[in-house]
Amino acid sequence: MQKEHIREIFSSTQGEGIYTGVRQIFIRFPLCNLNCIYCDTPSRDLPGYCNVETKPGSENFKKIKNPLSDENISEIILNLKTYDLHSITLTGGEPLLYPGFIKELKNFVDIPLYLETNSTLPKNAKKIKTCVDFVAADIKIDYPEFYENSIETLKILKDKNLFVKIVVLPGTESKTIEKVAKDLKNHDLDVPLILQPVTPHGEVKEKPGVKKILNLADACGKYLSDVRIVPQVHKLMGVL
Ligand code: SF4
């Protein structure tokens, strides 16, 4: 049985994208292969303990020694289950760094899995394709070297209730976003596109102006049938 380091497990509401507002159990994996300037999650260290919420929505945590087995996690999930539960979010860090663990987890839990990914690891996306039910895939425009990987990942996960998200900063150029929209259309990927104004954090001190983001959405609408502007709602609500 595989064991893995997990950063935290808790129950909350999805705060991003087209499934905003659904109840989920979040499993946060620790490591990431990128280093986005707006990242609000430490993703360089392997935590000695996993922070586990004691009751759904309580925001009280206990520490459980890492690494955890899928069996440990399925027990925790049972304790955090609510009647309104929609799915289990696999988040990070980057969950696609853990394909073996995700595949095994699927054998232990009978709840839909919702993958949040930076979409840069198509080979691993292929490995877990049959395990996930929903996919929120970022395109990281600050990492153009991974752009082709992202398109490949999207093609692999296209049939998994996929939507694409781009975090928009004050300096994000319209031509960059418009090119993504055009490329999605050209690759037969007319999936919902979410433009998410950055939430100021760390080095990022400002969010983009309203006019700017409205214009970006308008430009994307030339190519895609479902373009939406959705900020991080969990941050507005003050939940985890
Ligand atoms: S991909 Fe996500 S977890 Fe990784 S550095 Fe960027 S924002 Fe953070």
Side-chain angles (χ1 to χ4, degrees), residues 28 31-44 92-94 117-118 138 140 143 167:
R28 188 180 302 287
L31 301 178
C32 187
N33 57 329
L34 303 186
N35 192 15
C36 306
I37 54 165
Y38 49 80
C39 185
D40 59 3
T41 320
S43 45
R44 291 280 162 266
E94 175 47 51
T117 177
N118 63 28
D138 275 27
K140 298 294 186 183
Y143 286 92
V167 177

Side-chain angles (χ1 to χ4, degrees), residues 118-155:
N118 63 28
S119 75
T120 58
L121 301 164
K123 283 187 186 144
N124 289 355
K126 211 174 258 176
K127 289 182 192 164
I128 55 88
K129 182 186 169 171
T130 56
C131 305
V132 296
D133 305 277
F134 299 88
V135 178
D138 275 27
I139 292 187
K140 298 294 186 183
I141 53 174
D142 294 332
Y143 286 92
E145 64 273 36
F146 287 118
Y147 188 64
E148 292 308 319
N149 277 14
S150 288
I151 297 291
E152 207 184 323
T153 300
L154 300 182
K155 285 183 186 168

Side-chain angles (χ1 to χ4, degrees), residues 179-194:
K179 179 180 181 315
V180 174
K182 196 173 174 181
D183 288 346
L184 291 176
K185 181 184 166 68
N186 289 342
H187 286 284
D188 199 19
L189 288 163
D190 189 6
V191 296
L193 174 66
I194 302 300

Side-chain angles (χ1 to χ4, degrees), residues 42-170:
S43 45
R44 291 280 162 266
D45 65 309
L46 279 181
Y49 291 87
C50 174
N51 287 317
V52 176
E53 198 177 32
T54 52
K55 278 189 191 160
S58 69
E59 299 192 12
N60 282 325
F61 287 83
K62 63 182 174 191
K63 290 188 182 303
I64 298 186
K65 197 161 173 37
N66 270 320
L68 302 185
S69 67
D70 285 299
E71 218 167 4
N72 295 145
I73 291 181
S74 62
E75 275 169 32
I76 293 166
I77 285 168
L78 212 60
N79 187 44
L80 290 178
K81 239 175 148 175
T82 52
Y83 288 115
D84 59 351
L85 185 64
H86 173 272
S87 48
I88 294 173
T89 291
L90 308 170
T91 190
E94 175 47 51
L96 281 186
L97 291 172
Y98 306 86
F101 192 76
I102 292 171
K103 276 168 87 172
E104 219 176 270
L105 180 68
K106 188 67 184 170
N107 297 327
F108 281 90
V109 296
D110 189 21
I111 298 167
L113 296 183
Y114 178 112
L115 173 71
E116 292 189 325
T117 177
N118 63 28
S119 75
T120 58
L121 301 164
K123 283 187 186 144
N124 289 355
K126 211 174 258 176
K127 289 182 192 164
I128 55 88
K129 182 186 169 171
T130 56
C131 305
V132 296
D133 305 277
F134 299 88
V135 178
D138 275 27
I139 292 187
K140 298 294 186 183
I141 53 174
D142 294 332
Y143 286 92
E145 64 273 36
F146 287 118
Y147 188 64
E148 292 308 319
N149 277 14
S150 288
I151 297 291
E152 207 184 323
T153 300
L154 300 182
K155 285 183 186 168
I156 292 165
L157 299 173
K158 184 182 170 184
D159 301 328
K160 296 289 169 175
N161 294 304
L162 168 73
F163 73 88
V164 172
K165 173 166 71 73
I166 302 175
V167 177
V168 177
L169 283 86

